[in-house]
Each structure stands twice: as structure tokens, then as C-alpha cells.
Amino acid sequence: MRIRSAAALASAGIIALAVPAVAAAAPLTGSLGSVGSSAAQPTYELPASGKHSGDVSNGCTVDWHAATNFALDSSATADLDVFVSPEFDSAGYLRTDKWPSSDGMYWRTVAATDRAINDFSLTVTLPAGYAYAQSNVSIKPADDTWFATSMHTTDRWVTGVGPDDLNVAGPVENEDGTFTFTITAVDGSLPADSHFVIEYHGVGTSSADLIQGSQHLTGTAVPAEGEGPFCGEGIFSGSLGSLFGGGSLGSLSAS
């Protein structure tokens, strides 16, 4: 696995969406080039609890969030479930898994994309109270069968992205005691119909009743043939995409 030195990283708490520089030049959306709004988009604040879509992408600007929490005390309630999924009409997948170990906690990134993503970057923020190291980050091999088996899919996201394709920077300690890893693509882009899985092991014991792991994935999606210069509503769910979802998606078990 290629691991490079960390740059200064932003905390993944509240993320502001980019505002177009010229208000009169409204972006086009949809395959027919319908005119979309150029107004400033609201900031995204991670909810405290409940199940939500974390896809707040705008056109081809990918803006995905995923988060979950874990109760260390029986009096605490762990019910936060923010993720990106076709269940919410998103053209990709991003989820945060977690499970305890005898010496700490494991966290896992599960990610996939229908379309290629240029300038790809993933920021993973893990809870305070644990010791993190680059040596405790594991990227599944590109030919690993975990994704197809666990996701029950063999006809979507078929291209594996592995250790030779990704760089990991971090961990960087934040002001609040949490730690951040940043994952980027070696060549800057994720290919279309691809997936990857990364596990992080934090050693130690937190004194908090409730701990949380979160992720923020950004980049620029490459439109599929016939979609025009921008990704339209329904391709990535966009600013009008639902922030609240129904249905049920079982959590992935540790392996």
C-alpha cells in the first residue's frame, strides 16, 4: 500500500458547498440541458441521529457524507445512520461500518461509483480516545471478493480499486481530539463502475459514552454518454435530493 505524508486536513463536521462565481451563469442540469438554480446551496450539518441520505451533490460536483455512531455505555443510544446508496436514488455508494475488538474499534469504508470521479478525495474522521497508525489501515485488494459477496452484487461496480490505486495520508489529530485520514487516487480519479473497501483499526478505549465515525467524499463526476456537460438531477441526487430516506439496508457484518 502506498502511503504518503499528510497535508493539513479540514475537519469533517460542517461542509459548505461551493457557490458559483457568476450568478448569471446558471449551471445546466439534466440530459436535455434544463436550466438549474445558481443560488448558494445550504451548508450540510451532520444530523445527530436517525437514518438519512448523505448525498448532497450538486450537478457533477460530488458531495457525499456517511456517518454512524457506536454506544460504549448501555445508557447511550446509537442510531445515527447517514449513507449514500441507490436506495436514495444516488449513483454510487458510501457507508461507514464499525465493530468493537478486544483492543479497540474497527471502522470500515465501503464505497462505489457508477461514474468516474475526477479529483477524488475521501476524508475519514475517527473518534478520540484511540491510537491510529498508517500500519493499521488496510485497503482490500482490487481482486478481493469481499465487495461482491457482502454487497450481493456481481453486475454493478465490478471494477476493484486496491492498494496500488489509492494513497492514504494521516492520521492527523484535530483540535477536538478526533483523527483524520485522507484517501486520494494515485492518478487522481476513480474509474466508472468501481468500488473499494478500507478498514481502520483504532487501539485503546474511549471514555465517551458514544463515539462516531464519519466520511466525506468529494470530486467531479464524469457524465455518461448523452448526459451533456453536467450531471443532471437523478444522476447524482443533487441539492434537491432527499435528506431523509425510508426502507431498510442491513448493516454489513465484520469479516
Side-chain angles (χ1 to χ4, degrees), residues 2-52:
R2 301 182 183 180
I3 298 177
R4 297 179 180 174
S5 60
L9 304 175
S11 174
I14 300 176
I15 306 299
L17 301 182
V19 180
V22 182
L28 300 177
T29 59
S31 59
L32 297 180
S34 58
V35 177
S37 170
S38 61
Q41 300 300 321
T43 58
Y44 179 81
E45 185 172 359
L46 196 65
S49 62
K51 178 180 177 180
H52 309 270

Short mmCIF file of all heavy atoms in Angstrom, two decimals, residues 2-52:
data_model
loop_
_atom_site.label_atom_id
_atom_site.label_comp_id
_atom_site.label_asym_id
_atom_site.label_seq_id
_atom_site.Cartn_x
_atom_site.Cartn_y
_atom_site.Cartn_z
N ARG A 2 0.58 2.17 -0.90
CA ARG A 2 1.34 3.39 -0.94
C ARG A 2 0.79 4.38 0.06
O ARG A 2 -0.40 4.67 0.07
CB ARG A 2 1.27 4.01 -2.34
CG ARG A 2 1.80 3.09 -3.45
CD ARG A 2 1.74 3.80 -4.78
NE ARG A 2 2.18 2.92 -5.85
CZ ARG A 2 2.24 3.29 -7.12
NH1 ARG A 2 1.90 4.51 -7.47
NH2 ARG A 2 2.63 2.43 -8.04
N ILE A 3 1.63 4.87 0.93
CA ILE A 3 1.19 5.82 1.94
C ILE A 3 2.11 7.03 1.85
O ILE A 3 3.32 6.90 1.89
CB ILE A 3 1.24 5.21 3.34
CG1 ILE A 3 0.26 4.02 3.42
CG2 ILE A 3 0.89 6.24 4.40
CD1 ILE A 3 0.29 3.30 4.73
N ARG A 4 1.52 8.19 1.72
CA ARG A 4 2.30 9.40 1.61
C ARG A 4 2.07 10.30 2.80
O ARG A 4 1.11 10.14 3.52
CB ARG A 4 1.94 10.14 0.31
CG ARG A 4 2.30 9.31 -0.95
CD ARG A 4 1.94 10.03 -2.22
NE ARG A 4 2.30 9.22 -3.39
CZ ARG A 4 2.00 9.56 -4.63
NH1 ARG A 4 1.37 10.68 -4.87
NH2 ARG A 4 2.35 8.79 -5.64
N SER A 5 2.92 11.27 2.99
CA SER A 5 2.82 12.15 4.15
C SER A 5 1.55 12.96 4.10
O SER A 5 1.03 13.29 3.04
CB SER A 5 4.03 13.10 4.19
OG SER A 5 4.06 13.88 3.02
N ALA A 6 1.03 13.32 5.28
CA ALA A 6 -0.26 14.01 5.38
C ALA A 6 -0.08 15.50 5.19
O ALA A 6 0.86 16.11 5.63
CB ALA A 6 -0.88 13.74 6.74
N ALA A 7 -1.06 16.10 4.52
CA ALA A 7 -1.19 17.56 4.47
C ALA A 7 -2.17 17.98 5.54
O ALA A 7 -2.81 17.14 6.17
CB ALA A 7 -1.67 18.00 3.09
N ALA A 8 -2.29 19.27 5.76
CA ALA A 8 -3.27 19.74 6.75
C ALA A 8 -4.64 19.42 6.24
O ALA A 8 -4.97 19.66 5.09
CB ALA A 8 -3.12 21.25 6.93
N LEU A 9 -5.48 18.86 7.09
CA LEU A 9 -6.79 18.39 6.67
C LEU A 9 -7.89 19.16 7.37
O LEU A 9 -7.75 19.56 8.52
CB LEU A 9 -6.94 16.89 7.00
CG LEU A 9 -5.84 16.02 6.39
CD1 LEU A 9 -5.99 14.60 6.87
CD2 LEU A 9 -5.93 16.08 4.88
N ALA A 10 -9.00 19.32 6.68
CA ALA A 10 -10.15 20.01 7.26
C ALA A 10 -10.98 19.04 8.07
O ALA A 10 -11.06 17.88 7.76
CB ALA A 10 -11.02 20.61 6.15
N SER A 11 -11.57 19.52 9.15
CA SER A 11 -12.47 18.70 9.95
C SER A 11 -13.72 18.40 9.14
O SER A 11 -14.18 19.22 8.38
CB SER A 11 -12.87 19.45 11.22
OG SER A 11 -13.84 18.72 11.91
N ALA A 12 -14.29 17.17 9.30
CA ALA A 12 -15.44 16.76 8.50
C ALA A 12 -16.74 16.99 9.23
O ALA A 12 -17.66 16.20 9.16
CB ALA A 12 -15.31 15.30 8.11
N GLY A 13 -16.90 18.08 9.93
CA GLY A 13 -18.14 18.35 10.65
C GLY A 13 -19.16 19.01 9.77
O GLY A 13 -20.11 18.41 9.32
N ILE A 14 -19.00 20.32 9.46
CA ILE A 14 -19.94 21.06 8.63
C ILE A 14 -19.24 21.39 7.33
O ILE A 14 -18.17 21.98 7.31
CB ILE A 14 -20.41 22.34 9.32
CG1 ILE A 14 -21.12 21.97 10.64
CG2 ILE A 14 -21.33 23.14 8.42
CD1 ILE A 14 -21.54 23.17 11.43
N ILE A 15 -19.84 21.02 6.20
CA ILE A 15 -19.23 21.18 4.91
C ILE A 15 -20.03 22.21 4.12
O ILE A 15 -21.24 22.09 3.96
CB ILE A 15 -19.21 19.84 4.14
CG1 ILE A 15 -18.54 18.75 4.99
CG2 ILE A 15 -18.52 20.00 2.79
CD1 ILE A 15 -17.11 19.04 5.35
N ALA A 16 -19.37 23.25 3.60
CA ALA A 16 -20.06 24.26 2.79
C ALA A 16 -19.91 23.89 1.33
O ALA A 16 -18.82 23.57 0.87
CB ALA A 16 -19.46 25.64 3.06
N LEU A 17 -21.02 23.94 0.57
CA LEU A 17 -20.97 23.66 -0.84
C LEU A 17 -20.45 24.88 -1.59
O LEU A 17 -20.67 26.01 -1.18
CB LEU A 17 -22.38 23.29 -1.37
CG LEU A 17 -23.01 22.08 -0.69
CD1 LEU A 17 -24.36 21.79 -1.31
CD2 LEU A 17 -22.11 20.87 -0.82
N ALA A 18 -19.80 24.65 -2.71
CA ALA A 18 -19.23 25.75 -3.49
C ALA A 18 -20.32 26.60 -4.10
O ALA A 18 -21.35 26.10 -4.54
CB ALA A 18 -18.33 25.18 -4.59
N VAL A 19 -20.10 27.92 -4.17
CA VAL A 19 -21.05 28.85 -4.76
C VAL A 19 -20.50 29.31 -6.10
O VAL A 19 -19.35 29.72 -6.19
CB VAL A 19 -21.24 30.08 -3.86
CG1 VAL A 19 -22.23 31.05 -4.49
CG2 VAL A 19 -21.72 29.64 -2.48
N PRO A 20 -21.28 29.25 -7.20
CA PRO A 20 -20.79 29.69 -8.50
C PRO A 20 -20.33 31.13 -8.44
O PRO A 20 -20.94 31.98 -7.79
CB PRO A 20 -22.02 29.52 -9.41
CG PRO A 20 -22.86 28.50 -8.72
CD PRO A 20 -22.63 28.71 -7.25
N ALA A 21 -19.24 31.44 -9.16
CA ALA A 21 -18.67 32.77 -9.10
C ALA A 21 -19.53 33.81 -9.78
O ALA A 21 -19.59 34.96 -9.37
CB ALA A 21 -17.28 32.76 -9.73
N VAL A 22 -20.24 33.43 -10.85
CA VAL A 22 -21.08 34.38 -11.57
C VAL A 22 -22.51 33.92 -11.49
O VAL A 22 -22.87 32.91 -12.07
CB VAL A 22 -20.64 34.48 -13.05
CG1 VAL A 22 -21.50 35.50 -13.77
CG2 VAL A 22 -19.17 34.86 -13.13
N ALA A 23 -23.34 34.66 -10.77
CA ALA A 23 -24.71 34.22 -10.52
C ALA A 23 -25.51 34.12 -11.81
O ALA A 23 -26.41 33.31 -11.93
CB ALA A 23 -25.40 35.20 -9.56
N ALA A 24 -25.19 34.94 -12.81
CA ALA A 24 -25.98 34.94 -14.04
C ALA A 24 -25.75 33.69 -14.87
O ALA A 24 -26.57 33.31 -15.69
CB ALA A 24 -25.63 36.18 -14.88
N ALA A 25 -24.61 33.04 -14.67
CA ALA A 25 -24.28 31.86 -15.45
C ALA A 25 -24.78 30.62 -14.74
O ALA A 25 -24.03 29.90 -14.11
CB ALA A 25 -22.77 31.77 -15.68
N ALA A 26 -26.09 30.37 -14.82
CA ALA A 26 -26.70 29.25 -14.12
C ALA A 26 -26.24 27.95 -14.74
O ALA A 26 -26.19 27.83 -15.95
CB ALA A 26 -28.23 29.36 -14.20
N PRO A 27 -25.91 26.94 -13.93
CA PRO A 27 -25.46 25.66 -14.48
C PRO A 27 -26.59 24.93 -15.16
O PRO A 27 -27.76 25.07 -14.79
CB PRO A 27 -24.98 24.90 -13.23
CG PRO A 27 -25.77 25.50 -12.12
CD PRO A 27 -25.93 26.94 -12.47
N LEU A 28 -26.26 24.16 -16.20
CA LEU A 28 -27.24 23.33 -16.86
C LEU A 28 -27.34 22.02 -16.13
O LEU A 28 -26.35 21.48 -15.66
CB LEU A 28 -26.82 23.09 -18.32
CG LEU A 28 -26.66 24.35 -19.18
CD1 LEU A 28 -26.18 23.97 -20.57
CD2 LEU A 28 -27.96 25.12 -19.27
N THR A 29 -28.54 21.46 -16.04
CA THR A 29 -28.72 20.16 -15.41
C THR A 29 -29.56 19.29 -16.31
O THR A 29 -30.37 19.78 -17.09
CB THR A 29 -29.41 20.29 -14.04
OG1 THR A 29 -30.68 20.91 -14.22
CG2 THR A 29 -28.58 21.13 -13.08
N GLY A 30 -29.40 17.97 -16.16
CA GLY A 30 -30.22 17.04 -16.91
C GLY A 30 -29.69 16.81 -18.32
O GLY A 30 -28.96 17.62 -18.87
N SER A 31 -30.10 15.69 -18.92
CA SER A 31 -29.61 15.33 -20.24
C SER A 31 -30.09 16.28 -21.32
O SER A 31 -29.50 16.38 -22.39
CB SER A 31 -30.04 13.89 -20.58
OG SER A 31 -31.45 13.79 -20.55
N LEU A 32 -31.20 17.00 -21.09
CA LEU A 32 -31.72 17.94 -22.06
C LEU A 32 -31.25 19.35 -21.80
O LEU A 32 -31.69 20.28 -22.46
CB LEU A 32 -33.26 17.89 -22.07
CG LEU A 32 -33.86 16.55 -22.49
CD1 LEU A 32 -35.37 16.63 -22.46
CD2 LEU A 32 -33.37 16.14 -23.87
N GLY A 33 -30.39 19.53 -20.81
CA GLY A 33 -29.83 20.85 -20.55
C GLY A 33 -30.82 21.82 -19.96
O GLY A 33 -30.82 23.00 -20.30
N SER A 34 -31.71 21.36 -19.09
CA SER A 34 -32.64 22.27 -18.44
C SER A 34 -31.87 23.21 -17.53
O SER A 34 -30.82 22.88 -17.01
CB SER A 34 -33.68 21.49 -17.64
OG SER A 34 -33.04 20.69 -16.68
N VAL A 35 -32.39 24.39 -17.33
CA VAL A 35 -31.69 25.41 -16.55
C VAL A 35 -31.91 25.16 -15.07
O VAL A 35 -33.04 25.01 -14.61
CB VAL A 35 -32.19 26.81 -16.93
CG1 VAL A 35 -31.50 27.86 -16.07
CG2 VAL A 35 -31.90 27.08 -18.41
N GLY A 36 -30.82 25.14 -14.29
CA GLY A 36 -30.91 24.93 -12.85
C GLY A 36 -30.63 26.22 -12.12
O GLY A 36 -30.26 27.24 -12.69
N SER A 37 -30.79 26.18 -10.81
CA SER A 37 -30.57 27.36 -9.98
C SER A 37 -29.11 27.56 -9.70
O SER A 37 -28.36 26.60 -9.51
CB SER A 37 -31.34 27.21 -8.66
OG SER A 37 -30.96 28.22 -7.76
N SER A 38 -28.65 28.83 -9.67
CA SER A 38 -27.27 29.13 -9.33
C SER A 38 -27.16 29.72 -7.94
O SER A 38 -26.14 30.23 -7.56
CB SER A 38 -26.69 30.13 -10.35
OG SER A 38 -27.42 31.34 -10.32
N ALA A 39 -28.26 29.67 -7.17
CA ALA A 39 -28.25 30.25 -5.83
C ALA A 39 -27.32 29.45 -4.93
O ALA A 39 -27.05 28.28 -5.16
CB ALA A 39 -29.67 30.24 -5.25
N ALA A 40 -26.82 30.11 -3.90
CA ALA A 40 -25.93 29.45 -2.96
C ALA A 40 -26.64 28.28 -2.30
O ALA A 40 -27.80 28.38 -1.90
CB ALA A 40 -25.47 30.45 -1.90
N GLN A 41 -25.94 27.17 -2.17
CA GLN A 41 -26.51 25.98 -1.57
C GLN A 41 -26.30 26.02 -0.05
O GLN A 41 -25.35 26.61 0.44
CB GLN A 41 -25.84 24.73 -2.15
CG GLN A 41 -26.02 24.60 -3.66
CD GLN A 41 -27.47 24.51 -4.07
OE1 GLN A 41 -28.27 23.86 -3.40
NE2 GLN A 41 -27.82 25.15 -5.16
N PRO A 42 -27.21 25.40 0.70
CA PRO A 42 -27.05 25.41 2.16
C PRO A 42 -25.88 24.56 2.60
O PRO A 42 -25.43 23.67 1.88
CB PRO A 42 -28.38 24.79 2.65
CG PRO A 42 -28.83 23.93 1.50
CD PRO A 42 -28.39 24.65 0.26
N THR A 43 -25.35 24.85 3.78
CA THR A 43 -24.30 24.01 4.34
C THR A 43 -24.91 22.68 4.78
O THR A 43 -26.11 22.58 5.03
CB THR A 43 -23.65 24.69 5.55
OG1 THR A 43 -24.67 24.96 6.53
CG2 THR A 43 -22.97 25.98 5.14
N TYR A 44 -24.07 21.66 4.85
CA TYR A 44 -24.54 20.36 5.30
C TYR A 44 -24.04 20.13 6.71
O TYR A 44 -22.84 20.11 6.97
CB TYR A 44 -24.01 19.25 4.38
CG TYR A 44 -24.46 17.87 4.83
CD1 TYR A 44 -25.72 17.40 4.52
CD2 TYR A 44 -23.62 17.06 5.58
CE1 TYR A 44 -26.14 16.15 4.94
CE2 TYR A 44 -24.01 15.81 6.00
CZ TYR A 44 -25.28 15.36 5.68
OH TYR A 44 -25.70 14.12 6.10
N GLU A 45 -24.96 19.95 7.62
CA GLU A 45 -24.61 19.66 9.01
C GLU A 45 -25.03 18.23 9.32
O GLU A 45 -26.18 17.85 9.12
CB GLU A 45 -25.31 20.63 9.96
CG GLU A 45 -24.89 20.44 11.41
CD GLU A 45 -25.44 21.52 12.33
OE1 GLU A 45 -26.12 22.43 11.82
OE2 GLU A 45 -25.18 21.43 13.54
N LEU A 46 -24.09 17.46 9.79
CA LEU A 46 -24.35 16.06 10.08
C LEU A 46 -25.44 15.96 11.15
O LEU A 46 -25.33 16.58 12.20
CB LEU A 46 -23.07 15.39 10.57
CG LEU A 46 -23.03 13.87 10.58
CD1 LEU A 46 -23.11 13.34 9.15
CD2 LEU A 46 -21.75 13.39 11.24
N PRO A 47 -26.51 15.20 10.91
CA PRO A 47 -27.56 15.07 11.91
C PRO A 47 -27.07 14.31 13.14
O PRO A 47 -26.07 13.59 13.09
CB PRO A 47 -28.65 14.28 11.18
CG PRO A 47 -27.94 13.56 10.09
CD PRO A 47 -26.80 14.43 9.69
N ALA A 48 -27.80 14.46 14.23
CA ALA A 48 -27.40 13.83 15.49
C ALA A 48 -27.85 12.37 15.56
O ALA A 48 -27.24 11.55 16.25
CB ALA A 48 -27.97 14.60 16.67
N SER A 49 -28.93 12.04 14.85
CA SER A 49 -29.47 10.68 14.94
C SER A 49 -30.34 10.41 13.73
O SER A 49 -30.63 11.30 12.92
CB SER A 49 -30.29 10.52 16.23
OG SER A 49 -31.40 11.41 16.22
N GLY A 50 -30.76 9.17 13.59
CA GLY A 50 -31.68 8.79 12.53
C GLY A 50 -30.99 8.37 11.25
O GLY A 50 -29.78 8.47 11.10
N LYS A 51 -31.82 7.93 10.31
CA LYS A 51 -31.36 7.43 9.02
C LYS A 51 -31.57 8.51 7.96
O LYS A 51 -32.67 9.04 7.81
CB LYS A 51 -32.13 6.17 8.65
CG LYS A 51 -31.77 5.57 7.30
CD LYS A 51 -32.61 4.33 7.06
CE LYS A 51 -32.34 3.76 5.68
NZ LYS A 51 -33.15 2.54 5.44
N HIS A 52 -30.50 8.85 7.22
CA HIS A 52 -30.57 9.93 6.25
C HIS A 52 -29.70 9.62 5.04
O HIS A 52 -28.69 8.93 5.14
CB HIS A 52 -30.05 11.25 6.86
CG HIS A 52 -30.67 11.61 8.16
ND1 HIS A 52 -31.82 12.37 8.25
CD2 HIS A 52 -30.30 11.33 9.43
CE1 HIS A 52 -32.13 12.54 9.52
NE2 HIS A 52 -31.22 11.91 10.26
#
